[in-house]
Every structure is written in C-alpha cells, then in structure tokens.
Amino acid sequence: MPPRTSFVRVALMRTGLIRTLGRSAILTLTLAILPATVSAQDEASLCLITAERVDAGETLSAAEREEAHQACLAALAATGSVVQKYQFQEADFAITGTRAGD
C-alpha cells in the first residue's frame, strides 16, 4: 500500500473518531443540562400558579408562601427574558405582598 493511501485511511479513522467523540460530548452536555431545565420549569410553574391562586382570593399558609417565593426567586435567576423576569416579579409581589425593593 502506498504511503498516501495509508495516510488517508488513518486520517479518516481519526476523523470518524473525532466525530464520534464530539457527538458523545454534546449528548453528555445535553443530558447534564436537562434536569436543570426541567427543575427551572417546575419552579416557574409553581411561582405562577401560586400567584394565580392568591389573585383568586385563596389564602396560603406561611410555608406555601415561602415555597412559592423561593420558586419565584429561582425562576427569576434561571431566565434571561426581560418579559419573564417581569412576570415572575409580579407573581412574587402577589404572593408576598411586597416589592423586591421594599
């Protein structure tokens, strides 16, 4: 076998290996990020649903208020959207009865 053919075969093997390693790395990162995303969605839902309950006139226990407040703070920290930040702040205000600066 000529040296050039051997070089091409080795290069293709390495390229295939690199491609496989790259795909594995992307899959690993995706699986690592997924639980955090699901958790952030749960916190956002808890925050907004609890605010709706308060707006509907339902009274909450202190533990429920604190849990919802913490969920709102976590949802605020997890989002980069200005609109969502506003919604979570308003929901937190409805739950706690105080603004962040108060």
Side-chain angles (χ1 to χ4, degrees):
M1 199 170 357
R4 181 172 174 86
T5 306
S6 174
F7 176 76
V8 170
R9 179 182 294 161
V10 170
L12 288 175
M13 287 176 22
R14 286 185 182 163
T15 303
L17 180 61
I18 290 170
R19 188 178 313 128
T20 301
L21 289 174
R23 287 180 184 159
S24 297
I26 290 171
L27 180 61
T28 302
L29 288 173
T30 302
L31 290 176
I33 292 171
L34 187 61
T37 304
V38 171
S39 176
Q41 290 173 350
D42 290 344
E43 290 164 341
S45 295
L46 176 63
C47 174
L48 296 174
I49 289 170
T50 305
E52 287 177 6
R53 289 174 51 200
V54 170
D55 288 341
E58 191 174 328
T59 55
L60 304 175
S61 69
E64 286 177 312
R65 282 188 188 278
E66 182 60 27
E67 181 183 12
H69 172 64
Q70 293 303 321
C72 289
L73 294 179
L76 266 167
T79 187
S81 168
V82 175
V83 173
Q84 285 182 336
K85 284 187 182 292
Y86 173 77
Q87 291 170 338
F88 295 137
Q89 286 174 335
E90 288 299 308
D92 192 43
F93 173 68
I95 293 164
T96 61
T98 59
R99 298 264 180 215
D102 294 346

